[in-house]
Amino acid sequence: MHPAPNLVLVGPMGAGKSSIGRRLAARFGVVFVDVDHEIEVRTGARIATIFECEGEAGFRARERATLVEILAGSGQVIATGGGAVLDPHNRALLRSRGFVVHMHADVDAQLARLARDRTRPLLAGDDRTEVLQRLAVERAPLYADAAHLRFDTGPHACNEAAAQLGHLVEAHWRPPAGSIETTISDAAADVASTHAS
């Protein structure tokens, strides 16, 4: 059993990290955190706008700082952006603070899932297939370097993938003691904050 404080999901865009991650968080009774969403909340701008204004280097710096803050916590299912593994310091941090699952999807599966998605800066060009193939070649070894476990989401519907991955993860990882209680109190604080604003 891996004693990591968090469950971390890495993998390419369209692999289902966010949709499956939410289901895994519910299964384990812990908080779900989407790193890209957290960057947008903290910056007050969409990812595409950050790329436009600061370039990819600026976005990666924000991503690195956000990961450090999030991974300092525990009892979380964390969905990272597809390029989070590009930084070797990120990869080391992910492994040290999480049980890391590489959620794999081949290019055909990615194209199908991202067909209507126009929010991804790296897919803003015309040839999505070429971009996804290039990213797959570049990043596959980095996902392998970061991950403790690989799971292919391609053949599965979201609920089925979450159920199968949940079974696999249970053999390797359990949330830290007290995670459920922390989650409940955090959720209550979030609700109170929402109503107050």
Side-chain angles (χ1 to χ4, degrees):
M1 189 65 64
H2 197 287
N6 300 291
L7 176 63
V8 179
L9 308 178
V10 301
M13 61 184 93
K17 297 185 297 291
S18 293
S19 54
I20 293 171
R22 288 187 182 88
R23 289 165 172 79
L24 291 174
R27 179 186 186 121
F28 289 104
V30 298
V31 174
F32 172 73
V33 181
D34 183 298
V35 175
D36 281 352
H37 176 70
E38 284 298 312
I39 294 169
E40 290 184 337
V41 168
R42 295 169 188 217
T43 309
R46 300 299 300 262
I47 299 296
T49 304
I50 299 171
F51 264 77
E52 184 180 341
C53 295
E54 301 181 359
E56 184 171 359
F59 171 76
R60 295 300 171 200
R62 291 183 180 276
E63 179 180 57
R64 188 180 312 115
T66 303
L67 277 170
V68 169
E69 290 186 31
I70 291 171
L71 285 162
S74 64
Q76 306 167 102
V77 172
I78 302 169
T80 65
V85 296
L86 294 171
D87 186 322
H89 297 292
N90 286 352
R91 296 198 301 276
L93 180 64
L94 293 172
R95 283 187 66 89
S96 68
R97 293 292 299 168
F99 179 74
V100 184
V101 178
H102 169 200
M103 296 179 62
H104 173 73
D106 62 27
V107 171
D108 288 340
Q110 290 178 269
L111 287 169
R113 293 172 184 168
L114 298 169
R116 298 180 182 179
D117 191 328
R118 294 293 179 265
T119 66
R120 316 246 179 187
L122 296 179
L123 293 183
D126 293 330
D127 194 343
R128 290 183 156 208
T129 301
E130 188 278 329
V131 170
L132 292 174
Q133 288 174 339
R134 175 174 52 80
L135 292 176
V137 170
E138 291 173 357
R139 296 178 178 181
L142 305 180
Y143 293 135
D145 181 55
H148 299 99
L149 175 71
R150 185 179 187 271
F151 178 76
D152 189 353
T153 67
H156 310 292
C158 188
N159 284 335
E160 179 189 357
Q164 290 197 16
L165 181 54
H167 284 304
L168 287 174
V169 168
E170 281 179 346
H172 301 280
W173 181 79
R174 288 282 191 281
S179 294
I180 296 175
E181 291 78 0
T182 302
T183 301
I184 292 169
S185 62
D186 287 349
D190 288 344
V191 170
S193 173
T194 301
H195 287 305
S197 57

